[in-house]
Amino acid sequence: MKNTKAEELEVGYNIPAELGMSEQDIQTPCLIIDLDAFEKNVEALRVFCERVGISLRVHGKMHKSADVARYQIEHGKAIGICCQKVSEAEAFARGGIRDILITNQIRDPLKLRRFARIPKLGTRVICCVDDIHNVDGLSEAAQLCGTEIECLIELDCGASRCGVSTAEAAVEIAKVINARPGLKFSGLQAYNGDAQHLRDYVERKQKFNLIETFVGIVIEALLDAGLECKIVSGGGTGSFQFEGNSDLFTELQCGSYAFMDAAYGEVLDENDRRMSDGQFDNALFILTSIMSCVKPGRAICDAGLKIQSVDSGLPMVFRQRSIEYVKCSDEHGVILDPREQLKINDKLRLVPGHCDPTCNLHDWYVGVRNGTVEKLWAVTARGMAL
């Protein structure tokens, strides 16, 4: 896809659809976006952020598409994006995104140099630091390229993955960052992925209260050391209301809200309503076709493991209560169809269990409205894992 010229795209070979095509004629399996639902989701979070007075930095690692990111910036008023890898950031910068935070550490010397070059494309860059020994490498890369790198101290907010665990460590690293040429201390990265998918609202809130307390202690220690936190970044689709209503956070890092996968859809709000029952709509689907019906009570579709991630569970058949996706192998999906209502070439929309790794398996999003293909958006950073 990345090296294919537009005129060389052929429906059914390297692109699943063309503009104006009926949804029934789209080649499967592929990813489709219900544009009405997607636009509603983007608008809903824009309104929330505006109401509580917090910025939105959408997580590009979810969709990996410069086209989707540009829509979120232009229409959802996002200030920029997050991503996880240097190659991702490069792809987004080349796609016109002008404010990028890598919510990760960068340690390899070549990656440091590539990252430090990105501002030459006109893009502001920020990265996370949790080790004082990372600072000199960042500074050397910035000086070599004649650019500036902003740094956030990453806090361990309970995931026990990356991040410092004490205010003292955060202050020490921040001081060193400010003392090194080419670098600027800009604030804190305070995100806990483990809290996002806790289904129970009260349990999620309790997790956030611990995070908020820790963040407050770190901010106070930094201020006592004469260091201002202009950015306190964190929050995700499962917890954004907590960070948004906190007086500490300056920006959110929501990603999945725009597409709403099956796993996030089960998360409950304070009224015990599922997140996909009113807060955000399912907008991303795996479009699949029935290819065999020879076994009684079941149908076989063309959506298997190679086009989706099932780490968060199997996909759900959208708005179909009488049929169920129950098993998958490399190229096939097994659907229970007790009424035997499915026929060869029937198309189904599947809600993926986990959108992020599923999106990374595809080259294109097919944007559909009222049964017609309206957009073709490239998965710009597909496979960009370096």
Side-chain angles (χ1 to χ4, degrees):
M1 185 272 292
K2 297 179 180 66
N3 297 318
T4 304
K5 297 179 181 179
E7 61 269 21
E8 295 174 350
L9 298 175
E10 183 178 345
V11 174
Y13 174 59
N14 51 11
I15 195 166
E18 60 186 3
L19 297 178
M21 177 180 280
S22 167
E23 181 174 338
Q24 291 305 309
D25 295 327
I26 296 172
Q27 295 295 290
T28 64
C30 73
L31 292 182
I32 66 171
I33 297 175
D34 182 314
L35 292 172
D36 286 334
F38 167 73
E39 290 167 8
K40 175 185 173 184
N41 293 346
V42 170
E43 176 66 6
L45 193 56
R46 183 199 68 77
V47 169
F48 171 82
C49 290
E50 185 177 272
R51 177 170 60 81
V52 301
I54 195 168
S55 297
L56 173 63
R57 180 183 293 279
V58 294
H59 223 313
K61 81 175 181 69
M62 184 276 285
H63 51 67
K64 298 177 80 82
S65 170
D67 291 312
V68 176
R70 283 194 297 268
Y71 184 94
Q72 291 174 299
I73 291 168
E74 293 168 13
H75 300 275
K77 305 306 179 186
I79 60 171
I81 70 162
C82 311
C83 61
Q84 285 288 93
K85 302 297 181 74
V86 172
S87 57
E88 264 185 339
E90 288 182 288
F92 278 115
R94 294 178 187 189
I97 307 304
R98 295 295 170 243
D99 194 324
I100 299 175
L101 160 63
I102 292 187
T103 52
N104 217 343
Q105 287 68 37
I106 306 168
R107 305 303 298 265
D108 178 80
L110 178 58
K111 289 182 173 65
L112 286 167
R113 293 195 296 274
R114 294 191 69 88
F115 181 61
R117 281 179 7 202
I118 294 176
K120 293 180 178 294
L121 298 173
T123 297
R124 172 197 190 191
V125 295
I126 316 169
C127 70
C128 294
V129 179
D130 67 356
D131 182 354
I132 202 165
H133 297 100
N134 191 186
V135 177
D136 284 343
L138 284 164
S139 176
E140 289 168 7
Q143 292 179 79
L144 180 67
C145 296
T147 57
E148 180 181 75
I149 296 173
E150 295 184 50
C151 301
L152 303 184
I153 306 301
E154 181 165 4
L155 305 182
D156 180 358
C157 291
S160 298
R161 190 167 57 189
C162 300
V164 301
S165 300
T166 67
E168 291 77 14
V171 170
E172 180 185 15
I173 298 172
K175 285 181 176 179
V176 174
I177 288 170
N178 266 355
R180 295 294 187 271
L183 303 185
K184 177 184 177 183
F185 168 69
S186 292
L188 301 174
Q189 163 77 359
Y191 174 82
N192 185 344
D194 289 351
Q196 302 305 315
H197 287 90
L198 292 174
R199 192 165 189 265
D200 182 72
Y201 177 86
V202 173
E203 191 177 357
R204 288 201 317 283
K205 183 67 166 66
Q206 289 171 341
K207 282 272 190 181
F208 171 74
N209 289 342
L210 295 174
I211 295 169
E212 186 178 39
T213 298
F214 180 36
V215 171
I217 290 170
V218 175
I219 291 174
E220 189 66 30
L222 288 164
L223 288 173
D224 288 346
L227 297 161
E228 181 184 2
C229 281
K230 292 186 177 180
I231 298 173
V232 180
S233 192
T237 299
S239 70
F240 73 91
Q241 290 177 316
F242 306 138
E243 284 87 357
N245 286 297
S246 166
D247 292 330
L248 299 179
F249 286 78
T250 66
E251 61 182 44
L252 300 176
Q253 298 179 356
C254 303
S256 299
Y257 82 98
F259 285 172
M260 190 44 49
D261 57 29
Y264 263 121
E266 292 299 316
V267 173
L268 301 176
D269 67 11
E270 65 270 30
N271 298 311
D272 284 338
R273 293 179 306 178
R274 295 166 66 249
M275 185 168 285
S276 59
D277 287 338
Q279 201 165 29
F280 300 112
D281 292 344
N282 294 123
L284 178 77
F285 304 96
I286 301 166
L287 188 67
T288 185
S289 299
I290 301 302
M291 55 192 296
S292 176
C293 297
V294 297
K295 299 293 189 295
R298 63 174 53 190
I300 307 302
C301 71
D302 58 8
L305 285 168
K306 288 185 179 178
I307 57 90
Q308 65 181 316
S309 174
V310 295
D311 63 298
S312 295
L314 293 172
M316 298 182 351
V317 182
F318 185 58
R319 292 180 178 171
Q320 295 274 6
R321 295 189 177 184
S322 60
I323 57 178
E324 181 183 4
Y325 189 108
V326 295
K327 183 181 178 180
C328 56
S329 54
D330 282 0
E331 312 291 355
H332 302 90
V334 178
I335 297 174
L336 291 185
D337 180 22
R339 300 179 186 175
E340 298 187 354
Q341 56 190 316
L342 294 173
K343 307 300 180 186
I344 298 299
N345 289 327
D346 279 354
K347 286 185 168 58
L348 296 173
R349 289 185 175 193
L350 305 177
V351 181
H354 190 179
C355 54
D356 299 35
T358 295
C359 294
N360 190 49
L361 295 171
H362 294 259
D363 287 329
W364 295 96
Y365 296 113
V366 180
V368 175
R369 198 188 313 269
N370 298 324
T372 301
V373 176
E374 185 177 303
K375 302 285 185 183
L376 291 168
W377 285 337
V379 186
T380 320
R382 179 200 172 165
M384 294 293 193
L386 298 178

